[in-house]
Amino acid sequence: MSSLSKELHQHAVEARKKSYSPYSKFQVGAAVKFQGEDKIYSGCNIENSSYGGCICAERVAILKGLSELGEKKIEQILVVTGSPKGDNPCGLCLQTINEFSTTNTEILIANLNSVQSSGKVSEFLPNSFDSSNLP
Ligand code: THU
């Protein structure tokens, strides 16, 4: 793993320990590096007894960063789960990632030990709806 992906992995694994997931028991951690910023932002999934109030780790991490920094593009985002091959971000998270991405933004999928796969946002969310669709 590159030194950036190692750092993202460490932050995401640490954030995952804070996961509040009493309903699914599925713990997720995420870490984001924004363009031009040194600080890594991380998050975990936080569930709610009203299930629609659950929020994913990726969006917690992204929104923490954006609410502090203002609009920024994502350089890399890493998501970690306990599954052997890791797990892809959900559609809602991909839509949020896409909104704050460039063509170079990378998504890294990790298990608890290391990154298992990676790709550009367009590989995860081809034919996306974005600002270019609006009149
Ligand atoms: N979850 C995430 O945190 N990220 C995703 O991309 C997919 C799902 C969370 C939401 C919920 O707390 C649990 O995983 C099960 O869906």
Side-chain angles (χ1 to χ4, degrees):
M1 288 200 282
S2 73
S3 66
L4 175 57
S5 51
K6 266 188 197 143
E7 198 185 355
L8 287 171
H9 188 259
Q10 282 167 359
H11 279 79
V13 167
E14 210 47 43
R16 181 177 174 272
K17 293 177 185 166
K18 306 271 179 16
S19 169
Y20 176 72
S21 42
Y23 307 106
S24 72
K25 318 252 188 265
F26 189 73
Q27 298 173 300
V28 188
V32 185
K33 163 85 168 71
F34 292 96
Q35 278 183 358
E37 296 292 328
D38 291 331
K39 183 171 168 184
I40 304 290
Y41 289 86
S42 62
C44 60
N45 55 329
I46 300 176
E47 299 187 343
N48 194 286
S49 56
S50 177
Y51 294 164
C54 295
I55 179 157
C56 296
E58 298 92 315
R59 280 175 291 147
V60 170
I62 293 166
L63 301 183
K64 273 170 71 179
L66 294 175
S67 59
E68 204 170 286
L69 303 168
E71 185 189 343
K72 288 277 167 192
K73 295 296 185 188
I74 298 167
E75 192 174 311
Q76 289 190 3
I77 178 165
L78 183 146
V79 53
V80 64
T81 65
S83 315
K85 291 187 166 176
D87 293 286
N88 291 336
C90 77
L92 274 172
C93 288
L94 287 171
Q95 189 69 25
T96 300
I97 294 166
N98 194 50
E99 183 77 22
F100 300 100
S101 286
T102 69
T103 50
N104 292 322
T105 299
E106 272 197 291
I107 300 176
L108 310 176
I109 308 300
N111 65 18
L112 296 180
N113 297 316
S114 59
V115 172
Q116 297 299 302
S117 57
S118 65
K120 305 283 192 216
V121 182
S122 61
E123 298 176 75
F124 288 84
L125 190 66
N127 308 314
S128 67
F129 181 90
D130 61 28
S131 58
S132 69
N133 294 103
L134 295 173

